[in-house]
């Protein structure tokens, strides 16, 4: 849903849709949605994500995403372990709200190319992405009178920006996005810096052509380094902004995570990580991840803090994610 990441050398390692920008979920494994160049390894993988937010007595929203990334390396003879690679990614995202007030979905297709800059796993990547989205909000037979700042940085707010009249009609539109990144990946240190631009074609998102989506820019960064033989510290950030729009809301997300390798026996180990991310406009997200073999399980909890726009309402939210390395 939204995040403008800022590189604050904190260390470490997110999603985009229609009613919202997956940025705000704090799931860095999903970051290809907002910058197609941010595939920083050569593992093909599949992600499944569920995000739910509930305002008791008012409204609840559900977000579901499925993403598949396939990596292709050229069959070339080289003495270097670093070779160019291409990533083809596809995904589907669906947002729904109670009483059918909101129904938004998006299909994504992205292609990126990563070129080695040296013989030590430093790469420059460029990526392009197309999204086709449907957005319908309003006209359900029920009457809603939301407070002025209700869910100001959440799914309903972004859906209403895409259909300011709340027409209740289904409107489809195409968006074109692009990104670039420089990243470095070795066993004891990883970092990345990315820049992205979204909605380059500025599509109209409702039938009356009242307003078009403004071009959105973003910066993403992260850094991971060892603390000792079995522990790593990781920090990450995401910042995005819109130009030429006085009503645009900046996205700001930072996070910190500790990753611990735990041996089961001489040949088997798993990785457990605990951390927290902060969406400056939405919630604090404590999180835990467990990686065992090819599978990674993650859980995030939304905790609203005083001063956050939606904290004046009772708000409960959580995110569950599963990733499998193909």
């Amino acid at each position: 849903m939204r995040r403008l990441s800022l590189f604050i050398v904190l260390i470490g390692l997110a999603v985009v849709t229609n009613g919202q920008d997956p940025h705000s979920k704090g799931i860095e494994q999903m970051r290809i949605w907002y910058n197609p160049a941010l595939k920083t390894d050569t593992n093909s993988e599949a992600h499944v994500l569920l995000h739910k937010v509930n305002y008791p007595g008012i409204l609840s929203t559900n977000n579901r995403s499925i993403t598949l990334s396939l990596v292709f390396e050229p069959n070339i003879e080289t003495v270097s372990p670093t070779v160019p690679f291409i990533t083809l990614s596809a995904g589907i995202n669906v947002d729904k709200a109670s009483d059918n007030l909101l129904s938004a979905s998006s299909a994504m297709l992205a292609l990126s190319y990563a070129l080695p800059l040296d013989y030590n796993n430093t790469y420059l990547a460029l990526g392009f992405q197309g999204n086709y989205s449907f957005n319908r909000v309003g006209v359900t037979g029920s009457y809603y009178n939301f407070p002025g700042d209700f869910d100001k940085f959440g799914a309903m707010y972004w859906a209403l920006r895409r259909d300011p009249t709340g027409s209740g009609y289904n409107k489809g539109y195409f968006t074109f996005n692009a990104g670039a990144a420089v990243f470095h990946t070795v066993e004891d240190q990883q970092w990345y810096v990315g820049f992205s631009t979204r909605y380059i074609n500025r599509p109209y998102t409702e039938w009356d052509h009242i307003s078009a989506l403004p071009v959105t820019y973003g910066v993403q960064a992260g850094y991971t380094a060892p603390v000792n033989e079995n522990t790593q510290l990781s920090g990450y950030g995401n910042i995005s902004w819109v130009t030429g729009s006085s009503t645009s809301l900046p996205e700001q997300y930072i996070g910190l995570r500790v990753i611990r390798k735990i041996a089961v026996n001489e040949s088997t180990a798993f990785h457990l990580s605990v951390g927290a991310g902060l969406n400056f406009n939405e919630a604090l997200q404590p999180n835990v991840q467990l990686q065992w073999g090819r599978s990674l399980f993650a859980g995030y909890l939304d905790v609203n803090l005083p001063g956050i726009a939606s904290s004046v309402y009772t708000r409960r939210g959580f995110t569950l994610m599963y990733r499998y390395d193909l």
Side-chain angles (χ1 to χ4, degrees):
M1 269 176 85
R2 45 257 81 136
R3 280 151 199 169
L4 345 180
S5 288
L6 163 29
F7 185 19
I8 105 184
V9 179
L10 271 178
I11 24 195
L13 193 188
V15 190
V16 186
T17 58
N18 16 356
Q20 38 190 330
D21 239 343
H23 301 155
S24 55
K25 296 190 179 67
I27 310 292
E28 64 275 1
Q29 292 87 350
M30 306 290 286
R31 59 184 185 251
I32 286 178
W33 276 87
Y34 56 84
N35 185 343
L38 279 180
K39 173 61 173 168
T40 60
D41 59 58
T42 56
N43 297 326
S44 295
E45 54 195 23
H47 302 86
V48 179
L49 179 143
L50 168 67
H51 180 66
K52 181 178 178 66
V53 176
N54 182 34
Y55 294 89
I58 304 178
L59 184 74
S60 64
T61 60
N62 289 282
N63 166 254
R64 297 175 178 86
S65 298
I66 299 176
T67 309
L68 176 66
S69 295
L70 301 176
V71 177
F72 303 92
E73 295 180 277
N75 185 17
I76 57 177
E77 295 291 336
T78 176
V79 296
S80 170
T82 58
V83 296
F85 64 89
I86 295 172
T87 302
L88 177 65
S89 300
I92 297 175
N93 186 93
V94 177
D95 290 305
K96 288 187 177 295
S98 54
D99 283 351
N100 292 318
L101 181 65
L102 163 69
S103 179
S105 59
S106 183
M108 176 271 289
L109 185 64
L111 184 69
S112 66
Y113 179 75
L115 179 69
L117 295 180
D118 58 23
Y119 296 108
N120 191 33
N121 281 57
T122 302
Y123 286 83
L124 170 66
L126 298 176
F128 302 92
Q129 181 192 88
N131 283 31
Y132 193 78
S133 301
F134 287 97
N135 187 61
R136 181 190 61 74
V137 58
V139 189
T140 66
S142 300
Y143 176 71
Y144 292 88
N145 184 17
F146 296 123
D149 286 337
F150 174 77
D151 203 18
K152 188 173 182 180
F153 299 89
M156 285 303 304
Y157 176 84
W158 286 92
L160 287 168
R161 287 196 66 191
R162 285 156 170 74
D163 185 358
T165 63
S167 65
Y169 292 105
N170 208 6
K171 168 67 176 177
Y173 54 93
F174 173 81
T175 60
F176 179 70
N177 316 300
V182 177
F183 56 88
H184 177 73
T185 58
V186 293
E187 186 174 351
D188 61 347
Q189 183 189 63
Q190 300 90 43
W191 56 261
Y192 66 86
V193 179
F195 175 79
S196 60
T197 178
R198 307 188 56 77
Y199 317 132
I200 297 172
N201 58 322
R202 301 198 61 197
Y204 289 103
T205 61
E206 31 60 48
W207 290 103
D208 296 333
H209 286 195
I210 295 175
S211 60
L213 284 181
V215 177
T216 301
Y217 302 96
V219 176
Q220 309 86 30
Y223 185 79
T224 300
V227 176
N228 55 45
E229 183 179 353
N230 295 313
T231 306
Q232 289 181 314
L233 186 62
S234 175
Y236 50 95
N238 182 10
I239 295 177
S240 44
W241 67 94
V242 180
T243 60
S245 173
S246 60
T247 61
S248 64
L249 296 174
E251 302 170 316
Q252 299 171 344
Y253 191 90
I254 58 173
L256 186 67
R257 175 175 295 132
V258 178
I259 307 165
R260 178 76 176 178
K261 181 181 179 181
I262 302 174
V264 178
N265 52 47
E266 292 184 358
S267 60
T268 307
F270 64 89
H271 291 82
L272 177 67
S273 69
V274 177
L278 177 63
N279 184 332
F280 281 59
N281 303 314
E282 188 173 332
L284 176 70
Q285 290 185 322
N287 57 79
V288 61
Q289 295 187 5
L290 172 65
Q291 183 167 4
W292 178 280
R294 295 186 176 187
S295 294
L296 183 144
F297 304 87
Y300 291 69
L301 183 67
D302 291 355
V303 179
N304 283 73
L305 302 176
I308 294 177
S310 54
S311 67
V312 296
Y313 315 106
T314 301
R315 182 183 190 275
R316 304 187 183 111
F318 67 87
T319 301
L320 299 175
M321 192 209 72
Y322 173 71
R323 187 191 77 197
Y324 182 77
D325 293 337
L326 303 174

